């Protein structure tokens, strides 16, 4: 099975969690895109969506699905998104698609976070995938120096400007054995907008696609 087929399986499985008249939080990335395409098939059942990026909002609208601002709707019953890495504790690294800040906001505002991924994303320890950090542009060198002090190797993601007008630093070589603590530590560096650790608010359900179909891990 290809990763694409595995992603398709979990995109379809996530639809099972959607109830009538809900407003759905929708993530960003190739797996979230497949979920959006599945959501289009049941669009008559939902009231609309809140998107975690301009790219996802455009894809949702192209299917004729209503996209609300988060401010218009308040808390959401559900958020569906992919991840770059997950542990069995449902601590995640996200932000490979540079949408981490809005993703973290929509996840925070949602009752249930369903994470969908192919099973290659399940890891014992987070950190093989470089940790994305959204940074205010004028602070990038300062933030990079602080990340070196934490043992990381920060690399500016060239040519990328986030939906919020900021830059992304990817931190290599971090062995993340305490994601909750590291998430707070990095958030306290002046100039950091968001870091890609989703540990304080991890996923509630992880759906992994692979050779044996869909495996569910729940907190
Ligand atoms: C975007 C993300 C994505 O969820 C993450 O990068 C996984 O993407 P994909 O589904 O394409 O593997 O966090 O910022």
């Amino acid at each position: 099975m290809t990763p694409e087929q595995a992603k398709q399986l979990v995109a379809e499985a996530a639809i099972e969690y959607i109830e009538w008249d809900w407003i759905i939080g929708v993530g960003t990335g190739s797996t979230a895109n497949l979920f959006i395409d599945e959501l289009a098939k049941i669009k008559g059942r939902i009231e609309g969506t809140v998107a975690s990026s301009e790219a996802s909002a455009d894809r949702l609208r192209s299917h004729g699905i209503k996209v609300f601002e988060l401010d218009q709707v308040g808390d959401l019953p559900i958020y569906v998104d992919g991840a770059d890495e997950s542990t069995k504790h449902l601590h995640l690294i996200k932000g490979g698609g540079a949408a981490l800040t809005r993703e973290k906001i929509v996840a925070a505002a949602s009752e249930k976070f369903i994470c969908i991924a192919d099973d290659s994303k399940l890891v014992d320890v987070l950190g093989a995938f470089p940790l994305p950090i959204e940074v205010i542009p004028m602070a990038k060198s300062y933030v990079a120096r602080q990340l070196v002090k934490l043992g990381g190797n920060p690399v500016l993601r060239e040519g990328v400007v986030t939906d919020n007008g900021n830059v992304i630093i990817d931190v290599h070589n971090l062995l993340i054995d305490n994601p909750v603590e590291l998430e707070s530590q990095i958030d306290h560096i002046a100039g950091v907008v968001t870091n890609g650790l989703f540990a304080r608010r991890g996923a509630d359900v992880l759906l992994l696609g692979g050779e044996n179909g869909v495996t569910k891990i729940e907190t």
Side-chain angles (χ1 to χ4, degrees):
M1 172 176 291
T2 64
E4 201 61 18
Q5 288 167 326
K7 290 175 184 185
Q8 179 62 32
L9 280 183
V10 289
E12 289 168 18
I15 293 292
E16 303 297 320
Y17 288 83
I18 307 299
E19 295 190 16
W20 281 83
D21 298 328
W22 273 4
I23 297 177
I24 316 297
V26 177
T28 300
S30 58
T31 321
N33 279 345
L34 293 171
F35 172 70
I36 291 171
D37 298 345
E38 290 305 309
L39 203 53
K41 297 177 187 167
I42 59 149
K43 66 182 179 189
R45 277 208 252 149
I46 62 169
E47 201 176 317
T49 57
V50 171
S52 68
S53 64
E54 299 300 335
S56 290
D58 287 347
R59 193 177 185 100
L60 286 159
R61 287 194 196 98
S62 76
H63 281 301
I65 299 173
K66 176 123 183 106
V67 181
F68 294 99
E69 294 299 326
L70 184 62
D71 282 342
Q72 291 177 280
V73 298
D75 286 349
L76 303 171
I78 200 165
Y79 178 56
V80 180
D81 196 2
D84 299 301
E85 283 184 348
S86 176
T87 66
K88 64 177 189 230
H89 305 293
L90 309 196
H91 296 147
L92 315 174
I93 285 183
K94 291 186 45 54
L100 60 163
T101 297
R102 295 187 189 195
E103 291 172 342
K104 207 174 258 197
I105 294 167
V106 184
S110 298
E111 183 96 3
K112 195 169 222 177
F113 177 1
I114 312 281
C115 183
I116 52 175
D118 70 85
D119 61 8
S120 70
K121 306 283 184 75
L122 185 65
V123 297
D124 290 330
V125 183
L126 298 173
F129 190 92
L131 179 65
I133 304 192
E134 180 163 355
V135 176
I136 301 285
M138 71 161 283
K140 59 183 183 299
S141 299
Y142 170 76
V143 170
R145 291 197 297 279
Q146 309 317 304
L147 293 167
V148 169
K149 288 181 195 165
L150 290 177
N153 175 20
V155 177
L156 183 68
R157 205 181 292 180
E158 291 293 342
V160 171
V161 177
T162 69
D163 285 348
N164 314 304
N166 297 314
V167 297
I168 298 285
I169 292 177
D170 293 306
V171 192
H172 297 249
N173 299 336
L174 284 175
L175 236 194
I176 306 174
D177 46 19
N178 190 339
V180 173
E181 189 181 300
L182 187 65
E183 183 177 2
S184 294
Q185 234 178 332
I186 295 176
D187 273 354
H188 282 101
I189 300 171
V192 167
V193 177
T194 312
N195 74 80
L197 281 169
F198 285 53
R200 287 188 308 242
R201 200 276 181 263
D204 300 302
V205 177
L206 175 64
L207 300 176
L208 291 169
E211 289 300 337
N212 299 323
V214 176
T215 305
K216 176 160 89 167
I217 304 178
E218 258 178 302
T219 49

